[in-house]
Amino acid sequence: MEPRATQVQRRERLGRQQEARPSREGNTEVHRGPDLVQWTQHMQAVKTQLLEKAQGQLMELLDQAMWEAVQAYPPQDRPVPSIPPDSLCKTREPSLGKRKVFIIRKSLLDELMEVPHFRTIYHMFVAGLCVFIISTLAIDLIDEGRLMMEFDLLTFSFGQLPLALVTWVPMFLSTLLVPYQALRLWERPQSGGAWTLGVGLGCLLLAAHTVVLGILPVYVAVEYQLPPASRCVLVFEQVRLLMKSYSFLRETVPGTLWAREGERIRAPSFSSYLYFLFCPTLIYRETYPRTPNVRWNYVAKNFAQALGCVLYACFILGRLCVPVFANMSQEPFSTRALVLSIMHATLPGIFMLLLIFFAFLHCWLNAFAEMLRFGDRMFYRDWWNSTSFSNYYRTWNVVVHDWLYSYVYQDGLWLLGGRARGAAMLGVFLVSAVVHEYIFCFVLGFFYPVMLLLFLVFGGPLNFTMHDRRTGPAWNVLMWTLLFLGQGIQVSLYCQEWYARRHCPLPQTTFWGLVTPRSWSCHT
């Protein structure tokens, strides 16, 4: 038997040998693969950077969610330290919904254009424009023996454009001076008769401002018989300036009216109001998130694309609509001819819808946003993926939807009570339908309530039946099918009425003659 001390020493010696063996093997592996160690360290650094970036983005999303949650509370219940000082709402009226929050974000199409597969779809539309140009040149060369490339429809539509621009000047000056001056009259710390006089004078100024915006463009368009595109400039600016004036007063006046006796309310700066009149939003805020610089090449590209869309629309109307509808009034009216004309107009109608969306909601608004360094570029959402008309109405034009939601829907809930959501939604549909019909009536120069009926008779029920619980590809196909048919109805009926009023003028102008569709009885 070995002494106990000898056994302990032997076990300690074996343990030291076993501990040294992996170390020697590890050192051998280290000496064999120094590149593996460097690659591992590099991957660790990449992982750390990715985690830091993901954490920063997550913090931004959580801050945004917290800010929107805070805005959902009534003003008296909001924790004051959590509200940014540049976005304080001075009004003390009840709030029944969230307020519009502006953050820096790109337009959805700009993000999708970075994907090669989606960019190919854009290239297909450009190729279609090239085909239209080539076909026009070929037809001119064959029929006339020379290249003419005339733009009769384009020159007709934009005729008398300088007169429309001159008419815009007093409209803009009225919007620039009157609402701001009226607010200054109402917020001065006066009492008694002086304050009442200021309120009365401010109301008179606003009434004159409304008359200028409401009557002047209509008078010029009717008196000088402006063509459609020049009328578009006037009516879009008329509606835009009225909506901006209302938003400015709606966001600033309640704080003045609810102020306590002797309390001084700081007026918004004139520069912020001037910036608001040009920036691509209809919701007034004293400050907006701004981008650091202006990309002038991006501005030029968007303006060029908008011009290309105008040329594209002229080619579509000239090649697919004018030959079909120009002589349609010379044939007897029949249900068969009407249905065939609607089916024929579905393709140019959906093309016109896409061109209007891309030219105005993407190119035009992004160009102005870039020039003004306006950060929030969410002028639309992915409306093409909608499986319900309620989602389509919310995502097609976010700029107008924000105005309707803030000042028609939410204020309707405040006036009628928080449970009257159906009535408030009906009010939104009614206002939207009336304004859309007014725009069509102004641009075309006649009253034919196709848009009004499509909004109220079809759009309203579809909004409640095809709601957000309808999901799946079949519902998206159904929505696009109804969009095709709706655009075909609009293009067909409006084109027929346009040519009928030129082929069958009234011998005597009467009220019923102006509001009765001429295409029902005109057969030359």
Side-chain angles (χ1 to χ4, degrees), residues 132-134 136-137 140 146-152 315:
F132 272 115
I133 296 175
I134 293 173
T136 302
L137 294 175
D140 291 342
R146 58 192 179 91
L147 297 179
M148 299 179 63
M149 199 64 180
E150 296 180 354
F151 297 95
D152 295 337
F315 279 118

Side-chain angles (χ1 to χ4, degrees), residues 236 349 353 356 392-393 396 429-442 444 446-461 483 486-494:
F236 285 153
L353 179 73
I356 291 172
Y392 168 74
Y393 292 141
W396 157 258
F429 267 95
L430 184 60
V431 171
S432 181
V434 170
V435 173
H436 278 81
E437 183 58 40
Y438 168 75
I439 291 175
F440 272 82
C441 181
F442 190 105
L444 298 176
F446 55 80
F447 177 73
Y448 195 16
V450 177
M451 178 61 72
L452 188 66
L453 293 177
L454 288 177
F455 254 89
L456 296 182
V457 177
F458 298 100
L483 278 180
Q487 292 302 119
I489 292 173
Q490 290 183 54
V491 172
S492 174
L493 295 183
Y494 280 125

Side-chain angles (χ1 to χ4, degrees), residues 57-170:
Q57 294 179 350
L58 181 61
M59 289 297 295
E60 292 180 0
L61 292 176
L62 292 176
D63 290 341
Q64 176 66 19
M66 183 179 66
W67 167 244
E68 293 182 355
V70 167
Q71 293 300 313
Y73 285 91
Q76 62 270 18
D77 297 335
R78 294 177 189 170
V80 176
S82 64
I83 301 178
D86 58 346
S87 301
L88 283 175
C89 179
K90 301 182 184 300
T91 178
R92 300 177 186 176
E93 57 183 310
S95 176
L96 296 174
K98 61 182 181 179
R99 299 176 72 241
K100 171 71 174 181
V101 178
F102 294 91
I103 58 176
I104 295 180
R105 49 191 163 186
K106 295 195 296 186
S107 289
L108 183 56
L109 284 184
D110 283 338
E111 296 180 349
L112 292 176
M113 286 296 182
E114 299 175 0
V115 180
H117 302 292
F118 192 89
R119 194 162 57 243
T120 301
I121 301 176
Y122 169 76
H123 295 161
M124 293 168 60
F125 278 91
V126 176
L129 176 60
C130 295
V131 169
F132 272 115
I133 296 175
I134 293 173
S135 65
T136 302
L137 294 175
I139 292 174
D140 291 342
L141 185 61
I142 294 173
D143 293 343
E144 303 294 336
R146 58 192 179 91
L147 297 179
M148 299 179 63
M149 199 64 180
E150 296 180 354
F151 297 95
D152 295 337
L153 184 60
L154 183 65
T155 55
F156 163 74
S157 299
F158 285 93
Q160 303 187 60
L161 183 60
L163 178 60
L165 297 178
V166 170
T167 308
W168 175 83
V169 174

Side-chain angles (χ1 to χ4, degrees), residues 168-186:
W168 175 83
V169 174
M171 295 169 56
F172 174 75
L173 291 178
S174 175
T175 308
L176 178 65
L177 301 176
V178 173
Y180 188 81
Q181 186 59 37
L183 179 67
R184 297 298 298 266
L185 289 172
W186 292 346

Side-chain angles (χ1 to χ4, degrees), residues 288-307:
Y288 298 95
R290 308 283 290 274
T291 54
N293 49 34
V294 178
R295 298 169 296 173
W296 291 107
N297 57 341
Y298 179 79
V299 174
K301 184 185 77 171
N302 278 289
F303 278 132
Q305 290 180 140
L307 178 60

Side-chain angles (χ1 to χ4, degrees), residues 31 52 74 89 96 145 160 199 208-209 219 250 269 295 318-319 341-342 366 372 386 392 411 489-490:
H31 289 300
E52 291 177 353
C89 179
L96 296 174
Q160 303 187 60
V199 170
H209 167 62
Y219 171 79
R250 176 62 182 80
S269 62
R295 298 169 296 173
R319 294 298 180 190
S341 68
I342 291 175
N366 269 295
L372 297 172
S386 298
Y392 168 74
D411 286 356
I489 292 173
Q490 290 183 54

